[in-house]
Amino acid sequence: MGHRRPQSRRTGPAGAVAERWDRLEQLLLSFEESVRIKGPAELVYSFLCSIGDWPGRVPHLLSARVAEEQPGVQHVRTETRCGALVRSTETVRVCFPHALRIIAKVTVPQEPFQAHTTEWSVVPGDRDVTAFAHHQVLLREDPHVAAAARAHARDLLRGRAGPC
């Protein structure tokens, strides 16, 4: 008989999350932002897809480097300003132009996050379009990250009023 490893070693990060199912309500956050825009859906989607052009147009974004080795799959490194802090983020984005959607995953989440995904969608209306950004955030459950810090992050994200 072979030695059995603990569940989380066999299943990796997904197993570690599954083992915390009873605490996920406190750790998993979902929120959505939206804005109505007068103009054609294709132009709004084109702007969202062209993240390399955002610096200078999106106030908190200092830089964006994009590598697109396969059409529609973007590897992005950004630097954003949040108050006095400057943060670097690495993200993979998959663009679906015919569906007017972009799916993104932060590949190296920063504290106190364990995971962060975003789905952008552009929904045409009668006279305008609505651009949605739906975020899913999993907070890290780490003994070094105090419960108060996780609660603060939840409060910030639920009442999100800006790019920070």
Side-chain angles (χ1 to χ4, degrees):
M1 292 190 140
H3 176 70
R4 295 188 73 196
R5 291 189 257 182
Q7 178 75 11
S8 61
R9 289 193 191 267
R10 286 196 322 247
T11 59
V17 170
E19 290 171 357
R20 296 178 289 166
W21 68 271
D22 58 332
R23 296 180 305 284
L24 284 181
E25 184 175 316
Q26 294 299 313
L27 299 173
L28 185 61
L29 306 174
S30 179
F31 61 98
E32 185 172 90
E33 303 169 287
S34 65
V35 62
R36 294 183 79 136
I37 303 163
K38 289 196 180 278
E42 294 77 13
L43 286 178
V44 173
Y45 175 82
S46 178
F47 173 79
L48 291 173
C49 196
S50 301
I51 191 170
D53 297 337
W54 289 10
R57 298 171 82 186
V58 176
H60 67 280
L61 189 63
L62 302 175
S63 68
R65 291 190 307 258
V66 181
E68 191 167 348
E69 295 173 13
Q70 298 176 26
V73 179
Q74 301 174 335
H75 295 264
V76 182
R77 182 174 174 85
T78 59
E79 287 192 350
T80 56
R81 179 174 306 285
C82 182
L85 294 175
V86 174
R87 293 189 171 196
S88 295
T89 305
E90 295 182 28
T91 305
V92 173
R93 297 171 16 126
V94 181
C95 303
F96 300 94
H98 297 294
L100 300 174
R101 291 187 185 281
I102 300 169
I103 308 296
K105 180 179 188 324
V106 176
T107 57
V108 183
Q110 297 182 5
E111 291 291 342
F113 306 125
Q114 183 170 346
H116 181 180
T117 62
T118 303
E119 177 182 353
W120 286 274
S121 58
V122 178
V123 179
D126 291 335
R127 296 191 173 139
D128 54 14
V129 299
T130 304
F132 293 94
H134 180 80
H135 302 270
Q136 296 267 334
V137 176
L138 180 64
L139 297 174
R140 196 176 303 278
E141 188 177 53
D142 182 329
H144 302 292
V145 177
R150 287 192 302 273
H152 180 67
R154 278 194 306 275
D155 291 344
L156 283 175
L157 293 172
R158 287 183 177 143
R160 195 158 197 250
C164 302

